[in-house]
Amino acid sequence: MNIKELLKFAFAYCGIVIGAGFATGQEIMQFFTNDGIMSFAGIVLAVLMVTFTFRQSAKVGYLYDVESHELPLIKLFGKYFGTFLDYALIFFMYVTCFVMIAGGGSNLNESFGMPVWVGSIVMIILVSITLMLDFDKIIHLLGIATPILLIMVIFMTIFAFINADLSLIEGAKYADSTVPPWNVWWIDATVYAGLMYGVGYSFITIMGSDTRLYEVVKRGSLLGGLFVLILMLLLNGGLLLNMDIAVTRDIPALVVANAVHPLFGSIYSIVIIVLIYNTVVALMYAVLVRFTEAKSKKYVVLLSVLMVVAFLFTRIGFVELINIFYPLYGYLGIIIGFGFFILWIRKKIQRSPYYDNTNSEE
């Protein structure tokens, strides 16, 4: 086992799943923290579901050496429904791109007083430059922020537990039950798992295809899932301990970070921007290679057009975009994840043709 390759896969995996909505605290607040103390159980359930389905999709990507998400969807759901899911996924991936870009603008505005549109343009330029690199370099860049985020979230959560005026139970009293999509912790967890899966499915399938070792695909998915679990539990705890203020903010995680020190909060803001960049790069690459060949003339033209349109949509606003599109995206992810669960059941009952390319065991 190549430890370097394993960590590279796991950090990139985590960097894709942990995007703007998570790092800002807005996703965690809407899907979990506002469910009160049961938010911790919801996080464990969501991460278990998404780790399982991501592992299956990465394995299928490896075994079929796919170039996009299209082939696995058609094999799982048939030509017509698979094609429908293919285009629905493309639509929501693109929508998420401009949600993330809007998140970058909101973050820079709350942290540094910069106009929202300036932050959006900076993100678009950085993403466009990155998408012209080789795929292996893109994977490397996506994993850089993960260990930094892990260290910062651990530190600011420990600080919150030591210094916060509220306890977890007291913080839960400030939860807004009107915010979660269903306000039933296990349903909210399932929808969020679908959302994470919808966001990361396409790129992680391509990652599995690009990885040299099957063991790295299997174990890297599990390690990446563990990193995600730790980050979500810690950030949720930090938000509950500062819930009286955090519940009123667009970027609630900055309340936890700024409680440590304003400079720490500024550094965390930069990390958020990097994570926004991670998710936009992953999603936009998956959309582009679905219709064009990487780095071709058509690829560049399509990238330019999509980025201009994305900038126009960012004017709607970060929180509003999450409220409108994320639950719907979650339902789509649930459908795709369920397909991979059925695939896994088939493999256990009788050897599935999708896994005939290897003799490796679970």
Side-chain angles (χ1 to χ4, degrees):
M1 170 63 64
N2 188 318
I3 299 300
K4 182 179 178 180
E5 288 296 315
L6 177 65
L7 290 174
K8 177 182 174 182
F9 187 99
F11 284 152
Y13 170 110
C14 190
I16 294 164
V17 176
I18 304 302
F22 170 89
T24 62
Q26 191 58 240
E27 284 178 7
I28 299 296
M29 182 70 73
Q30 292 197 24
F31 284 89
F32 298 104
T33 314
N34 276 305
D35 283 322
I37 294 299
M38 291 308 297
S39 58
F40 292 102
I43 286 170
V44 172
L45 176 61
V47 174
L48 286 175
M49 288 190 290
V50 82
T51 300
F52 169 82
T53 46
F54 269 147
R55 188 168 184 257
Q56 300 308 308
S57 60
K59 286 160 64 178
V60 168
Y62 175 90
L63 297 169
Y64 273 92
D65 193 25
V66 300
E67 295 182 358
S68 77
H69 62 255
E70 180 186 15
L71 179 62
L73 287 180
I74 291 176
K75 285 186 173 295
L76 281 173
F77 298 101
K79 180 179 179 181
Y80 296 107
F81 191 51
T83 299
F84 167 77
L85 291 177
D86 172 23
Y87 283 100
L89 185 62
I90 290 166
F91 169 76
F92 279 107
M93 284 194 297
Y94 181 55
V95 166
T96 304
C97 282
F98 56 75
V99 171
M100 296 293 163
I101 293 169
S106 292
N107 179 63
L108 287 171
N109 178 260
E110 288 199 8
S111 303
F112 306 108
M114 185 181 297
V116 173
W117 66 271
V118 174
S120 298
I121 290 177
V122 169
M123 287 301 307
I124 286 172
I125 292 172
L126 291 175
V127 167
S128 300
I129 292 172
T130 304
L131 287 170
M132 297 309 299
L133 299 175
D134 293 332
F135 186 75
D136 191 60
K137 291 181 179 178
I138 292 175
I139 293 292
H140 177 72
L141 288 171
L142 293 182
I144 290 175
T146 299
I148 299 172
L149 178 67
L150 190 59
I151 293 169
M152 294 190 74
V153 170
I154 290 173
F155 185 82
M156 67 195 209
T157 304
I158 292 173
F159 184 90
F161 271 95
I162 295 173
N163 296 282
D165 295 328
L166 302 176
S167 67
L168 292 175
I169 294 175
E170 290 170 339
K173 295 177 181 178
Y174 289 90
D176 184 353
S177 62
T178 66
V179 173
W182 289 86
N183 196 31
V184 179
W185 70 269
W186 62 270
I187 298 181
D188 292 335
T190 302
V191 173
Y192 187 74
L195 170 62
M196 285 198 291
Y197 191 64
V199 169
Y201 158 69
S202 185
F203 196 83
I204 286 178
T205 301
I206 299 170
M207 273 178 58
S209 175
D210 189 67
T211 303
R212 294 184 298 109
L213 300 174
Y214 192 53
E215 287 299 314
V216 169
V217 171
K218 295 194 296 182
R219 297 183 183 182
S221 299
L222 295 178
L223 184 59
L226 177 61
F227 290 153
V228 172
L229 177 62
I230 292 170
L231 284 166
M232 289 180 67
L233 288 173
L234 289 174
L235 184 55
N236 183 63
L239 290 172
L240 277 173
L241 293 169
N242 293 272
M243 194 65 169
D244 52 336
I245 302 173
V247 74
T248 65
R249 302 293 176 84
D250 273 7
I251 314 293
L254 279 180
V255 174
V256 186
N258 284 325
V260 178
H261 191 276
L263 178 59
F264 188 92
S266 296
I267 296 172
Y268 189 79
S269 296
I270 296 171
V271 173
I272 291 176
I273 294 170
V274 174
L275 291 165
I276 294 169
Y277 154 90
N278 279 359
T279 304
V280 177
V281 167
L283 294 175
M284 190 62 72
Y285 182 86
V287 171
L288 292 168
V289 297
R290 172 61 184 82
F291 298 107
T292 66
E293 183 179 347
K295 299 169 69 174
S296 65
K297 184 177 180 180
K298 290 182 179 179
Y299 178 95
V300 175
V301 171
L302 183 58
L303 171 61
S304 301
V305 172
L306 292 179
M307 283 303 190
V308 170
V309 175
F311 173 73
L312 297 177
F313 274 101
T314 60
R315 309 303 293 173
I316 297 175
F318 178 48
V319 176
E320 289 78 9
L321 287 168
I322 286 183
N323 288 336
I324 294 169
F325 289 108
Y326 272 29
L328 296 175
Y329 202 176
Y331 304 142
L332 176 65
I334 289 171
I335 294 171
I336 298 173
F338 184 73
F340 276 95
F341 177 71
I342 296 299
L343 174 66
W344 180 75
I345 294 294
R346 288 179 56 190
K347 178 177 181 287
K348 294 302 179 183
I349 296 175
Q350 59 182 22
R351 187 166 181 80
S352 167
Y354 302 139
Y355 289 86
D356 282 349
N357 295 359
T358 181
N359 292 321
S360 299
E361 298 297 327
E362 286 285 303

